[in-house]
């Protein structure tokens, strides 16, 4: 076949394949246009998951007749003054969104500028353009997209259910709304119950509207500037992590983006506190010099490229780690909510105020009964102490009792604090390891007689290879025949721990990480395994001064609100919560 130039219509359909992937991408382009036009109020309406109708109305600058005609042409934009691409301050600049949408749907654009006496309308139905006709309307622009992909069965096939497409639309609007807190957003139409976010310009208020008050309560503010990057936003506490990434919001210069550098930085910053398959909630806003970032690497502009990715990464990691460190021992407040709901009041067979009939017990939640049963068993040790006078001055309070040989019961001024001693101690040991490691090899203690541990040959070889790294962590071992290693020194931090279990655990880790990353990058993971072994196991009885020492150390140690697996180390029940549980407050 000879080479030929493609007709305009076909070019637009090809472009549409990249820009207009699904209804949500149409919404994104249209709302971005409204924001670029200076709108203060944007109303998004969809029906049929956006397939039958998408309508975006704004009160922005509008277009006159000439602009209206050009707006639906390919590569026609008002947003690039000179012909450079390195100083882009608008969301759009490629001039292909409206042309692409017009190629795969029925597009109706109506617009009116401030000084026009009437509005004007143009229609494009699968690339066939109509003439311009008058249209009564207020200042601004209304774009309607009907029957999206009606003539493109290949595209229709890949769309999900109406509900899923509508959810994707809402997600796009959320991201745009977060980036533009001064714009009033309305999301409406038969796809959902209406959402109305007034734009008073307060970012914190907008984050609350979009991500929920829950998030705001369980997040710490970010505010740093380094490597020419200004980082602001809110970072969720590790215990508030989610099972997917929908609660992660990334913005660069007001543009919502999906970027590997940022994703990687957030993952790294939370690596110590959140399980790998969990996602911290975060709203991250970056400001960088527009010339330091290329936003033209993706047709829908969802991805970008930083000139100094390393600098951005370290700025983001620093910002998050500092903010979480300042939050210190704070654990998520939703944990207490979970606890309270676990302590549900048993349902009575009848609501008579007479003495509770004994069969009432049978209707109690199983956990409740188990807890009561446990109290009677000898393994549940209970000790009460006289409250020392200065109890209110410590955030985690003063120890009052130890339950089930693992939970410390403490009281501060107005709350009951329950601490998981094993989880808490694990975190303390882990943090000590890290701070010791920061200033050289970790201190070790000599074994009187080397401990010989038998292991499969591959494990012995892996341990042997890892020996220099393990020595930095205070674990000195050497090969002892084909299927054994001899341990001469162990990390002093671990005290008298189960050396056999520790070494086997590390060997398991080495096998799992085999050949993936350099061992140096795995130090944290090895330390985590060591810390787990060196911690006060549940089942150990602590004296009251030991308990208080643990509480005071938690208050001093960063990140002590979560164990190294991201679980909370303590929960707090406010006196008011207790009163609520017992129905004392009305
Ligand atoms: P781009 O946004 O990349 O310039 P589009 O195809 O999205 O390309 O839009 C083309 C042009 O149409 C824009 O540059 C702008 O001048 C005009 N336009 C589009 N939508 C609006 C709107 N809602 N209000 C005012 N002008 C608009
Ligand atoms: Mg645009």
């Amino acid at each position: 076949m000879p080479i030929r130039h493609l007709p305009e219509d076909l070019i637009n359909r090809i472009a549409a394949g990249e820009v207009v992937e699904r209804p949500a991408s149409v919404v994104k382009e249209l709302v971005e246009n409204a924001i670029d036009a200076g709108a203060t109020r944007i109303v998004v309406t969809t029906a049929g998951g956006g397939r039958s109708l998408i309508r975006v109305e704004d009160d922005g600058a509008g277009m006159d007749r000439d602009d209206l005609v050009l707006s639906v042409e390919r590569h026609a934009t008002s947003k690039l003054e000179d012909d450079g691409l390195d100083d882009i301050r608008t969301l759009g600049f490629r001039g292909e969104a409206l042309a692409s949408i017009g190629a795969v749907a029925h597009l109706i654009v109506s617009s009116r500028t401030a000084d026009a006496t009437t509005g004007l309308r143009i229609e494009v139905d699968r690339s066939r353009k109509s003439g311009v006709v008058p249209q009564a309307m207020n200042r601004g622009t209304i774009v309607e997209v009907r029957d999206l992909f009606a003539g493109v069965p290949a595209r229709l096939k890949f769309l999900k259910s109406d509900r899923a497409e509508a959810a994707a639309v809402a997600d796009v609007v959320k991201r745009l709304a977060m980036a533009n807190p001064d714009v009033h957003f309305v999301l409406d139409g038969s796809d959902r119950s209406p959402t109305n976010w007034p734009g008073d310009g307060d970012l914190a208020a907008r984050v609350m509207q979009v991500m929920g008050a829950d998030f705001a309560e369980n997040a710490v503010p970010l505010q740093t500037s380094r490597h020419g990057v200004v980082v602001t936003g809110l970072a969720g506490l590790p215990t508030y992590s989610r099972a997917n990434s929908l609660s992660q919001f990334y913005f660069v210069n007001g543009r919502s983006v999906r970027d590997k550098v940022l994703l990687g930085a957030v993952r790294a910053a939370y690596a110590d506190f959140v399980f790998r398959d969990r996602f911290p909630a975060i709203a991250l806003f970056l400001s960088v010099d527009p010339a330091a970032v290329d936003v033209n690497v993706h047709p829908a502009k969802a991805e970008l490229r930083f000139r100094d990715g390393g600098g951005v990464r370290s700025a983001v990691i620093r910002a998050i780690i500092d903010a979480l460190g300042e939050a210190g021992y704070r654990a998520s407040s939703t944990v207490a909510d979970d606890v309270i709901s676990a302590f549900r009041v048993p349902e009575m067979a009848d609501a008579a105020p007479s003495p509770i009939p004994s069969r009432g017990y049978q209707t109690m939640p199983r956990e409740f009964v188990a807890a009561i049963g446990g109290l009677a068993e000898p393994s549940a040790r209970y000790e009460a102490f006289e409250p020392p006078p200065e109890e209110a001055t410590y955030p985690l309070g003063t120890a009052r009792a130890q339950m089930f040989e693992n939970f410390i019961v403490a009281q501060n001024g107005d709350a009951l604090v329950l601490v998981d001693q094993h989880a808490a101690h694990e975190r303390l040991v882990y943090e000590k390891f890290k701070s010791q490691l920061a200033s050289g090899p970790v201190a070790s203690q000599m074994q009187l007689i080397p401990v010989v541990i038998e292991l499969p040959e591959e494990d012995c070889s892996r341990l042997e290879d890892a020996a220099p790294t393990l020595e930095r962590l205070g674990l000195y071992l050497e090969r002892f025949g084909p299927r054994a290693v001899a341990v001469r020194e162990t990390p002093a931090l671990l005290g008298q721990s189960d050396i056999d279990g520790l070494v086997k655990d590390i060997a398991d880790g080495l096998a799992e990480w085999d050949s993936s990353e350099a061992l140096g990058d795995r130090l944290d993971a090895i330390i985590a395994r060591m810390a787990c072994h060196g911690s006060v196991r549940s089942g150990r009885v602590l004296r009251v001064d030991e308990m208080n020492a643990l509480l005071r150390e938690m208050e001093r140690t960063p990140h002590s609100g979560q164990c190294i697996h991201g679980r909370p180390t303590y929960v707090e029940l406010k006196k008011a919560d207790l009163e609520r549980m017992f129905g004392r407050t009305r």
Side-chain angles (χ1 to χ4, degrees):
M1 248 201 307
I3 297 176
R4 63 170 184 136
H5 283 289
L6 297 176
E8 163 107 359
D9 167 36
L10 192 54
I11 294 175
N12 283 341
R13 289 217 316 266
I14 292 169
E18 297 177 316
V19 182
V20 189
E21 204 187 329
R22 60 194 296 194
S25 32
V26 173
V27 171
K28 172 176 181 290
E29 294 295 334
L30 299 183
V31 174
E32 287 186 350
N33 280 347
I35 292 166
D36 282 345
T40 64
R41 184 167 183 273
I42 299 174
V43 182
V44 179
T45 311
T46 70
R51 230 173 305 211
S52 40
L53 172 74
I54 295 169
R55 184 178 189 276
V56 176
E57 177 178 353
D58 70 59
D59 61 355
M63 289 175 271
D64 61 18
R65 177 180 293 267
D66 292 347
D67 278 355
L68 188 60
V69 172
L70 276 176
S71 72
V72 295
E73 298 279 331
R74 186 172 164 71
H75 299 317
T77 179
S78 58
K79 299 173 192 176
L80 290 182
E81 257 183 68
D82 47 28
D83 293 337
L85 273 180
D86 5 277
D87 190 23
I88 287 167
R89 288 162 197 272
T90 48
L91 295 170
F93 57 86
R94 294 167 61 114
E96 58 191 357
L98 291 184
S100 304
I101 295 166
V104 292
H106 184 171
L107 171 72
I108 307 165
V109 187
S110 315
S111 199
R112 179 175 169 183
T113 58
D115 46 4
T117 51
T118 178
L120 297 166
R121 186 178 82 218
I122 191 168
E123 297 195 22
V124 186
D125 193 358
R126 285 194 248 153
S127 292
R128 279 191 312 275
K129 290 182 198 95
S130 74
V132 176
V133 297
Q135 158 89 41
M137 64 183 293
N138 292 327
R139 190 191 99 150
T141 303
I142 303 170
V143 181
E144 262 181 49
V145 179
R146 295 184 174 276
D147 303 326
L148 181 65
F149 299 138
V152 197
R155 222 358 102 126
L156 273 181
K157 241 188 359 220
F158 285 99
L159 292 188
K160 304 206 177 98
S161 69
D162 284 6
R163 193 159 4 104
E165 294 301 334
V169 167
D171 186 59
V172 158
V173 174
K174 275 185 187 175
R175 283 164 204 277
L176 288 157
M178 290 246 290
N180 298 278
D182 43 353
V183 177
H184 181 171
F185 278 86
V186 179
L187 181 54
D188 209 345
S190 60
D191 279 335
R192 64 187 64 76
S193 54
T195 307
N196 190 358
W197 293 324
D200 46 19
D202 180 13
L203 179 61
R206 181 51 60 82
V207 169
M208 280 237 248
Q209 287 164 353
V210 174
M211 297 181 70
D214 229 27
F215 169 69
E217 272 171 32
N218 290 290
V220 290
L222 300 174
Q223 183 63 266
T224 53
S225 172
R226 44 162 61 204
H227 306 299
V229 186
V230 180
V231 184
T232 54
L234 284 171
L237 294 176
T239 40
Y240 189 73
S241 65
R242 323 265 81 184
N244 60 45
S245 63
L246 282 177
S247 291
Q248 298 194 336
F249 293 81
Y250 299 96
F251 305 92
V252 175
N253 294 349
R255 185 188 298 277
S256 167
V257 295
R258 194 176 59 218
D259 174 71
K260 286 201 203 72
V261 172
L262 299 181
L263 286 171
V266 168
R267 185 170 282 277
Y270 278 94
D272 281 356
F273 325 118
V274 174
F275 257 151
R276 265 184 174 258
D277 59 351
R278 303 279 299 173
F279 296 84
I282 190 164
L284 190 66
F285 296 83
L286 263 64
S287 299
V288 297
D289 177 359
V293 45
D294 182 359
V295 293
N296 191 33
V297 294
H298 184 271
K301 294 158 288 178
E303 288 165 20
L304 42 71
R305 192 171 295 136
F306 292 108
R307 203 170 58 195
D308 175 18
V312 170
R313 179 182 159 90
S314 83
V316 170
I317 293 179
R318 205 54 279 153
I320 296 172
I321 288 190
D322 286 352
L324 291 179
E326 271 167 38
Y329 49 80
R330 266 179 75 192
S332 135
S333 76
T334 53
V335 174
D337 292 344
D338 292 345
V339 172
I340 292 169
S341 49
F343 275 97
R344 235 170 298 120
V345 178
E347 267 176 40
M348 298 306 161
D350 50 31
S354 55
I356 303 164
S358 60
R359 66 184 160 83
Y361 253 100
Q362 289 155 6
T363 60
M364 283 186 171
R366 211 180 304 124
E367 309 90 303
F368 203 75
V369 176
I372 291 171
L375 278 176
E377 279 164 23
S379 74
R381 194 181 125 94
Y382 174 81
E383 286 180 335
F385 307 101
E386 278 306 303
E390 77 285 15
E391 65 177 35
T393 55
Y394 298 118
L396 292 180
T398 317
R400 291 297 188 80
Q402 186 191 29
M403 302 286 296
F404 308 119
E405 287 159 9
N406 184 48
F407 297 99
I408 298 171
V409 182
Q411 183 190 333
N412 70 21
D414 66 343
L416 163 74
V417 180
L418 278 177
V419 176
D420 178 335
Q421 73 186 34
H422 174 65
H425 195 249
E426 207 174 43
R427 165 60 73 182
L428 298 181
V429 172
Y430 179 75
E431 293 294 343
K432 274 192 202 151
F433 251 114
K434 289 192 82 165
S435 70
Q436 278 200 15
L437 186 63
S439 52
V442 172
S444 61
Q445 69 184 12
M446 186 89 99
Q447 298 299 312
L448 282 179
I449 313 160
V451 180
V452 176
I453 300 166
E454 294 190 20
L455 290 158
E457 195 160 351
E458 314 82 73
D459 282 343
C460 292
S461 305
R462 288 192 193 100
L463 285 166
E464 190 179 20
D465 291 343
T469 305
L470 297 176
E471 284 180 14
R472 286 171 60 200
L473 301 175
L475 182 67
Y476 292 72
L477 50 75
E478 59 204 22
R479 191 77 179 239
F480 196 74
R483 274 177 291 278
V485 293
V487 178
R488 286 185 289 110
E489 290 178 56
T490 53
L493 279 172
L494 299 187
Q496 273 316 320
S497 58
D498 163 23
I499 299 171
D500 197 274
L502 170 69
V503 171
K504 285 185 174 147
D505 222 352
I506 293 174
D508 282 350
L510 294 174
E512 191 182 318
W513 311 320
D514 223 355
S515 76
S516 58
E517 283 166 74
L519 199 54
D521 293 333
R522 286 293 187 178
L523 281 186
D524 289 352
I526 299 173
I527 292 173
R529 279 174 191 246
M530 288 184 167
C532 184
H533 278 272
S535 307
V536 187
R537 290 285 173 163
S538 45
R540 212 186 106 192
V541 175
L542 295 183
R543 291 192 318 269
V544 68
D545 56 337
E546 291 178 306
M547 291 187 235
N548 277 320
L550 187 68
L551 297 181
R552 300 295 80 80
E553 212 174 330
M554 283 173 75
E555 286 159 2
R556 278 196 304 272
T557 305
H559 317 307
S560 61
Q562 297 84 37
C563 80
I564 49 184
H565 309 296
R567 293 189 296 268
T569 53
Y570 76 92
V571 296
E572 196 176 36
L573 291 176
K574 295 266 181 247
K575 188 163 164 247
D577 291 330
L578 288 168
E579 287 172 344
R580 190 150 51 86
M581 279 166 60
F582 288 100
R584 279 173 161 277
T585 47
R586 278 286 127 195

